[in-house]
Amino acid sequence: MGMSIEETKLTAEVGSVRELNLYLISGWVLILSYCKHSSDTQNPRFVVAWQSNDEPVVPELLDEWELSEIDKQRYR
């Protein structure tokens, strides 16, 4: 049986499926997903929860600039 929302110790919000998967692999659970609307775009947002009594495992994530630089190198 899964844990209830009341068991949440910490939450985090991520903006990509790649980041979401890293959190889920690290033991977090997805508690909410929605689209953030700005101008004419829609961006997915995911709220994950840490519900374990252990210390939260926060995955190492690359920021937007780092991801952009990787993309630039990939298409050289």
Side-chain angles (χ1 to χ4, degrees):
M1 184 171 146
M3 297 182 113
S4 68
I5 194 79
E6 289 83 12
E7 299 298 319
T8 298
K9 313 289 189 277
L10 182 66
T11 60
E13 184 174 344
V14 297
S16 75
V17 172
R18 183 187 68 80
E19 291 175 347
L20 172 62
N21 285 332
L22 290 173
Y23 272 89
L24 296 177
I25 289 168
S26 298
W28 295 70
V29 294
L30 178 64
I31 58 171
L32 177 68
S33 64
Y34 66 94
C35 279
K36 181 178 179 181
H37 299 275
S38 60
S39 301
D40 290 336
T41 62
Q42 296 180 7
N43 299 309
R45 304 301 295 174
F46 306 97
V47 179
V48 291
W50 184 258
Q51 296 184 329
S52 173
N53 287 327
D54 299 333
E55 194 67 27
V57 177
V58 179
E60 184 176 331
L61 301 173
L62 301 176
D63 63 25
E64 279 187 51
W65 181 84
E66 291 168 318
L67 292 171
S68 173
E69 290 299 308
I70 289 170
D71 281 343
K72 286 179 189 175
Q73 296 298 321
R74 185 179 302 159
Y75 299 114
R76 280 191 156 182

